[in-house]
Amino acid sequence: MNILIAGAHGTTGKQIIGEFTKNPQMNVYGMIRKEEQAQTIKELGGHPILADLEGNVDKAVDNMEAIIFAAGSGPKTGPDKTTAVDKNGAIKLVDAAKKKGIERFVMLSSVGTDHPEQAQEGMRHYLEAKHDADEHLKASGLTYTIVRPVALTNEQAIGKIFADEKVDHTDKSIPRADVAAVLAHSVTEEKTFNKTFEILSGTLPIKEALNNIN
């Protein structure tokens, strides 16, 4: 299976590539904005594809069978960049997938996205952008999975999570490595198809937790 990772050079994106390279049946392609990022993708075992979410992404999805959107504008950019990448970039990639007949699309989202108006002011615009992208994906007709983790950490993977439509995310966290594993498993785990769910560190192995999603 040919899988495209948008945001492949980000911390989570690189870990997603690592998840797929464990499986020889998966050919993972990393979308990058800069030529100098290509070597990192190759060293991880992926194939770099040069494309910009703020530009044309149609060629980037050629011959793909699934897409994972793990891109983000980052905390140091302003609202304009958040809109351009987290909202418009995601929407653009969904539309490109639909145009090319790619049915499988996995979106990395965030808790709080369903009610951005309830968030702290500093997070509101980001969550509004993610909300709009999520809603566009759900309405697209693609076979989607929307994964909404709690606060991310850079700690080592635990390999165990709790997943449900809604979770209590107060003071909860999850390693990025475990989020990467959830996104990778979701591509082929049918129990996640056309589902939106939240995740945090828990007690069940990732495959088992995903298989228990209602």
Side-chain angles (χ1 to χ4, degrees):
M1 176 181 274
N2 294 337
I3 303 161
L4 179 68
I5 314 299
H9 200 260
T11 306
T12 305
K14 287 187 278 193
Q15 291 172 321
I16 297 169
I17 293 174
E19 287 293 323
F20 281 121
T21 53
K22 299 172 187 176
N23 185 343
Q25 293 182 322
M26 300 296 188
N27 299 312
V28 60
Y29 295 80
M31 184 192 292
I32 51 172
R33 289 188 302 114
K34 301 174 183 176
E35 188 69 53
E36 56 264 32
Q37 297 171 336
Q39 187 59 33
T40 301
I41 303 302
K42 291 176 183 176
E43 289 171 358
L44 290 167
H47 309 284
I49 290 183
L50 197 62
D52 192 337
L53 286 166
E54 296 182 65
N56 190 304
V57 297
D58 286 356
K59 287 186 177 180
V61 304
D62 280 348
N63 302 313
M64 297 301 160
E65 296 165 89
I67 295 172
I68 298 178
F69 187 91
S73 57
K76 296 178 182 177
T77 59
D80 289 351
K81 187 65 91 171
T82 300
T83 299
V85 175
D86 298 85
K87 176 183 173 178
N88 295 342
I91 288 172
K92 192 182 297 183
L93 203 57
V94 168
D95 290 347
K98 190 172 182 179
K99 188 160 61 176
K100 295 291 179 75
I102 303 162
E103 295 184 2
R104 192 76 185 99
F105 200 109
V106 178
M107 180 81 82
L108 173 57
S109 186
S110 171
V111 295
T113 305
D114 47 350
H115 291 292
E117 72 281 357
Q118 297 176 7
Q120 293 179 347
E121 189 173 346
M123 284 292 291
R124 201 168 298 154
H125 181 75
Y126 168 75
L127 292 175
E128 286 172 350
K130 298 299 287 183
H131 170 271
D132 291 350
D134 290 356
E135 291 302 310
H136 187 80
L137 174 57
K138 285 192 276 188
S140 69
L142 303 181
T143 303
Y144 69 86
T145 298
I146 298 172
V147 180
R148 293 175 170 171
V150 295
L152 304 177
T153 73
N154 291 319
E155 295 174 4
Q156 282 192 323
I158 299 168
K160 294 183 178 181
I161 64 165
F162 175 71
D164 206 349
E165 185 178 348
K166 290 286 176 192
V167 301
D168 176 11
H169 52 85
T170 309
D171 298 324
K172 300 294 195 306
S173 64
I174 185 169
R176 292 176 187 273
D178 286 333
V179 174
V182 169
L183 295 167
H185 284 304
S186 292
V187 170
T188 54
E189 176 50 69
E190 292 186 9
K191 289 297 290 286
T192 72
F193 288 11
N194 297 317
K195 299 279 178 64
T196 301
F197 56 90
E198 300 179 350
I199 56 171
L200 49 78
S201 291
T203 58
L204 287 179
I206 289 170
K207 283 185 178 181
E208 186 177 343
L210 295 181
N211 196 48
N212 286 343
I213 292 173
N214 293 318

